[in-house]
């Protein structure tokens, strides 16, 4: 019976056609899911989504998510010129340009000067119980006679400004002072219907916008950035000396999306082009190109679908990292065609049966290496691990199930492939000699110097790849406006809203010495706007006693009969305040019920000295329900802890891989394992010599190097002296090297460190693996070294 007749008869052809059909059904299901996935656009650009939740305090993670969600659609723009008239002229051109174009931005209520009147009307019934700490101290410590003189002076003092209240309702002018302290939470002030700020010898106008529609796109378009650039050009035409600062989470998200689009195209399509070019040069046939591309396409699609199903969303950095999968997943297809080229007389199914043991072992080591990435509690790393492992398995199944059926004729030899296959024989082997001892000693000295210079570096900014000008603009806007830092804050929880406000007041009392000492610019808290009922009652009693005494003294001095008006009997509640539009300025501090309990955050302003962080952390000591949160510091420490933990895991993984190789390869297992070990050590030394810090992502790259690099040793050992196996190793190593070499060009420091480590490591493994292959007399049969 002919081969074609055998393939057409499932009953006599074995299980292969049925496995191919089953895999076809899976691939069709993946294709259907891909259609829905790209229509729904379930992509994520939030850096915080890559980071782990604090399992000991999940409320901290929820607080961080809530703060990020509240800022996720807000953009702040500052226009600054030498004089106010020029700034307003530029702002008019800016607004006109944005209004005329399809900008995905709409003006927000930031700086609405009409809101002040509404706020005065809202708070007026509770004027008597709104005191600052300084007012409270002054009323308690100043003699009544002195207060009476101050009230008389305020009564007869001429003022061109309108009074916020009648003198008799506020004889000591307490309410304007309370409002002045509230206004101190931002440096911007109303002026001519705008929000104005004078700083750095410029008159700044502050504009607020809210994003309309999706905050970012994956198609590489920068709609928000382009709209702001067009408005800036028009504003500069109106005022050439204008300085423009723009900040906001949507700008970083869009920049990340644009960057990811460019990197996916560069890394993914660049890797694919390199792989297909190598395949063409080696096999000079369209069939290998189509089948290798098919396995890669199915691998990436399956990886994307399973990641989306497990995590709900796929992060942009996962796509960028996954683009490098092309350089690894093609190994199985290349190994098939290289062997097919070297053994044209072997039937496809027989050839696949011969290749499967080595390919399965190579797949297992690679998948285990990727699985090791998932041990760290980083959602981003787990996404990348699942994406890559799934892609490898899908590419392998495509090769194993379909290639014996689709690849019907042998691959002709090419001069390029013949030269590579022939290059194995003259490749040097390591033998005991004086020259090897000298080279080894010099290398050991080099490694010692490099490892001694290698210093750890654990920084949250490894995950942030925003353009430097955007980061600098964000810092400048925060500095000029005195905005609180989102990286450090206090999380406050209680069993009731009243208890929550009281705990905030106890905390802010501890922060006052730091503010008075100049170590802290201030804070923003709900209790600044809604004091606790206990505090309101005490302040109402204090102001009633003092103001009644003051009015009695004024009546005696002037012969009048002035009486203090009545105020609201019930205290202002947090619920009533939240239901009012006046709460918009500080509503972001309210987190609602977190895990069944009311929660809020106390944000800090003017925190520029890291040396004060321990003092701030100590401010929460002993206060029930109050927790200090330093996200940057916590994640830096977490990165450091997992760098150490994953380093030990790397050592254990090497031991486990060596044990697995021993079971398959016997005493020759060291020849497949040692090249990767030496390459890992040399890579660390080279990083140290280059002044690169040792990050968690370097260690994770070495884990992946273990899974990928051992494959080369396995192929060379399983097929001793076989030029086709060497051709597969060279092509696979070249494509993997190119893929991760392109990853080293990423603007994200973590991916760049990952790619650079593999760029060095894979190149070293490729050079070392043939040097440690068996000496001909040492190896008699496959898998049984003597």
């Amino acid at each position: 019976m002919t081969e074609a007749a055998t393939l057409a008869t499932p009953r006599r052809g074995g299980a292969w056609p049925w496995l191919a059909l089953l895999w076809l059904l899976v691939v069709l299901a993946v294709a259907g899911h891909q259609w829905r996935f790209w229509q729904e656009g379930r992509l994520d650009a939030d850096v915080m989504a890559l980071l782990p939740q604090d399992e000991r305090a999940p409320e901290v993670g929820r607080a961080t998510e809530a703060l990020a969600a509240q800022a996720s659609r807000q953009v702040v723009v500052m226009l600054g010129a030498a004089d106010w008239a020029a700034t307003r002229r530029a702002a008019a051109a800016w607004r006109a340009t944005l209004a005329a174009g399809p900008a995905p931005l709409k003006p927000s209520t930031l700086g609405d000067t009409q809101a002040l009147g509404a706020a005065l009307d809202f708070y007026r019934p509770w004027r008597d119980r709104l005191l600052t700490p300084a007012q409270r101290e002054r009323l308690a410590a100043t003699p009544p006679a002195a207060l009476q003189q101050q009230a008389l002076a305020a009564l007869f003092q001429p003022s061109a400004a309108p009074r916020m209240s009648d003198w008799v309702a506020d004889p000591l002018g307490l309410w304007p002072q309370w409002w002045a302290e509230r206004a101190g939470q931002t440096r911007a002030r109303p002026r001519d219907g705008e929000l104005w700020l004078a700083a750095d010898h410029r008159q700044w106008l502050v504009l607020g916008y809210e994003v309309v529609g999706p905050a970012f796109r994956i198609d590489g378009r920068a709609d928000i950035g382009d709209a702001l650039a067009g408005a800036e050009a028009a504003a500069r035409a109106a005022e050439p000396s204008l300085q423009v600062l723009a900040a906001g989470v949507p700008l970083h998200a869009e920049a990340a999306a644009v960057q990811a689009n460019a990197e996916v195209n560069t890394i993914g399509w660049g890797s694919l082009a390199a792989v297909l070019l190598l395949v063409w040069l080696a096999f000079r046939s369209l069939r290998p190109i189509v089948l290798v591309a098919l396995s890669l396409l199915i691998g990436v699609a399956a990886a994307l679908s399973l990641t989306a199903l497990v995590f709900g969303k796929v992060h942009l950095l996962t796509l960028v990292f996954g683009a490098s999968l092309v350089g690894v997943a093609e190994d199985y297809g290349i190994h098939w065609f290289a062997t097919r080229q070297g053994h044209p007389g072997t039937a496809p199914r027989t050839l696949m049966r011969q290749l499967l043991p080595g390919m399965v072992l190579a797949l297992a080591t690679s998948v285990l290496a990727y699985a090791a990435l998932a041990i760290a509690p980083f959602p981003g790393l787990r996404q990348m691990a699942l994406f890559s492992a799934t892609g490898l398995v899908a590419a392998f199944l495509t090769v194993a199930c379909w290639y014996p059926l689709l690849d019907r004729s042998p691959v002709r030899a090419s001069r390029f492939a013949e030269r590579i296959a022939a290059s194995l024989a003259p490749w040097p082997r390591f033998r005991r000699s004086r020259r090897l001892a000298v080279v080894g000693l010099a290398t050991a000295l080099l490694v010692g110097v490099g490892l001694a210079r290698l210093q750890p570096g654990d920084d949250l900014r490894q995950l942030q790849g925003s353009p430097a000008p955007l980061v600098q603009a964000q810092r400048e806007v925060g500095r000029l406006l005195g905005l609180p830092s989102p990286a450090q804050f206090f999380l406050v929880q209680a069993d009731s809203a009243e208890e929550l406000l009281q705990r905030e007041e106890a905390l802010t009392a501890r922060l006052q010495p730091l503010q008075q000492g100049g170590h802290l610019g201030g804070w923003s808290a709900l209790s600044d706007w809604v004091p606790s009922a206990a505090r309101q009652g005490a302040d109402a009693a204090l102001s009633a006693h003092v103001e009644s005494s003051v009015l009695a003294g004024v009546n005696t001095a002037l012969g009048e009969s002035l009486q203090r008006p009545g105020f609201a009997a019930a205290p202002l509640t947090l619920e009533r305040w939240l239901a009012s539009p006046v709460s918009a300025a500080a509503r972001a501090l309210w987190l609602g019920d977190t895990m069944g309990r009311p929660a809020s955050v106390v944000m800090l302003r003017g925190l520029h000295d890291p040396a004060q962080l321990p003092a701030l952390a100590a401010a929460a000591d002993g206060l029930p329900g109050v927790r200090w949160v330093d996200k940057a510091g916590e994640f830096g420490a977490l990165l450091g802890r997992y760098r150490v933990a994953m380093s030990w895991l790397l050592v254990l993984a090497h031991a486990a891989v060596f044990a697995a190789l021993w079971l398959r390869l016997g005493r020759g297992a060291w020849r497949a394992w040692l090249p990767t070990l030496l390459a890992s050590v040399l890579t660390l030394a080279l990083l140290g010599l280059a002044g690169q810090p040792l990050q968690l992502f370097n260690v994770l790259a070495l884990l992946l190097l273990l899974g990928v690099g051992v494959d080369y040793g396995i192929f060379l050992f399983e097929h001793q002296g076989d030029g086709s196996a060497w051709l597969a190793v060279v092509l696979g190593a070249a494509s993997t090297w190119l893929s991760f070499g392109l990853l080293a060009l990423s603007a994200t420091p973590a991916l760049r460190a990952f790619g650079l480590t593999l760029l060095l490591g894979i190149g070293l493994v490729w050079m070392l693996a043939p040097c440690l292959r068996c000496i001909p007399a040492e190896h008699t049969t496959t898998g049984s070294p003597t």
Side-chain angles (χ1 to χ4, degrees), residues 505-527:
E505 290 163 352
L507 172 63
T508 55
R510 292 189 178 185
L511 297 178
Q512 286 178 15
L514 292 174
Q515 182 187 29
Q516 293 168 356
H519 304 303
L520 181 65
W523 58 82
S524 298
L526 289 177
S527 55

Side-chain angles (χ1 to χ4, degrees), residues 528-595:
D528 292 337
W529 299 92
V530 185
S532 66
R535 172 62 55 81
Q536 291 184 51
D539 286 352
L542 176 61
S543 64
H545 172 73
V546 172
E547 290 177 354
S548 297
S549 175
V550 166
L551 288 175
V554 170
N555 287 336
T556 301
L558 301 180
E560 297 287 344
S561 58
L562 301 175
Q563 292 185 356
R564 186 172 182 266
F567 295 95
L572 173 61
T573 63
L574 186 61
E575 181 180 6
R576 184 167 185 173
W577 178 78
L578 289 170
S580 170
V582 301
S583 64
R587 191 178 294 141
L589 303 173
W590 169 249
L591 301 180
D593 288 343
T594 302
M595 298 184 68

Side-chain angles (χ1 to χ4, degrees), residues 161-425:
R163 293 181 60 89
M164 297 173 66
S165 62
D166 295 332
W167 178 91
V168 70
D170 187 17
L172 296 175
L174 300 176
W175 206 25
Q177 296 169 13
W178 185 84
W179 276 106
E181 186 169 291
R182 303 290 82 72
Q185 296 189 3
T186 177
R187 295 174 182 169
R189 297 291 182 270
R191 179 177 178 181
D192 297 332
E194 305 283 4
L195 203 57
W196 161 81
L197 172 68
D200 297 345
H201 308 290
R202 289 181 179 271
Q203 303 292 315
W204 296 92
L205 191 149
V206 185
L207 301 172
Y209 293 97
E210 183 175 347
V211 175
V212 179
F216 69 95
R217 305 166 62 99
I218 191 59
D219 58 5
R221 291 171 50 187
D223 293 340
I224 301 175
D226 292 345
L228 295 182
E232 180 176 350
R236 288 188 183 278
E239 177 51 49
S241 66
L242 185 71
Q243 182 177 353
V244 179
L245 299 173
V249 173
L251 301 181
H252 293 272
E254 184 178 74
V258 172
Q259 173 185 301
N261 179 272
E263 292 182 359
V264 166
N265 288 331
T266 301
I267 298 169
W269 293 111
S271 301
L272 182 60
V275 168
L276 298 183
L277 177 62
L278 290 172
V279 172
W280 168 257
L281 291 174
F283 307 119
R284 297 287 179 162
S285 173
L286 184 62
R287 187 175 69 257
I289 293 178
V290 172
L291 291 181
V292 170
L294 177 65
S295 66
L296 294 178
L297 177 63
I298 293 175
V300 173
L304 188 60
S305 291
L306 186 59
T307 304
L309 291 173
V310 172
F311 291 94
K313 288 186 176 182
V314 179
H315 200 279
L316 291 178
L317 287 186
T318 301
L319 289 182
V320 175
F321 181 84
S324 64
L325 178 67
V326 171
V328 182
E330 96 295 340
D331 285 357
Y332 312 112
I334 288 179
H335 191 45
W336 163 268
F337 282 109
T339 308
R340 189 101 160 91
Q341 186 183 63
H343 303 81
T346 306
R349 299 188 193 185
T350 302
L351 182 64
M352 180 57 72
R353 291 189 185 97
Q354 295 173 355
L355 294 179
L356 273 179
M359 291 175 63
V360 169
L361 182 59
L363 174 67
T365 56
S366 298
V367 170
L368 285 174
Y370 277 118
L373 303 184
I375 295 177
F378 290 78
L381 290 178
R382 289 176 175 173
Q383 273 200 22
M384 296 175 190
L386 179 63
F387 188 101
S388 301
T390 303
L392 285 181
V393 172
F396 168 80
L397 290 175
T398 303
V399 172
C401 294
W402 289 0
Y403 277 29
L405 302 178
L406 298 177
D407 186 23
R408 305 300 303 145
S409 59
V411 179
R412 63 180 181 178
S414 68
R415 183 175 300 179
F416 180 80
E418 290 174 348
R419 288 181 177 178
I420 293 179
S423 67
L424 177 64

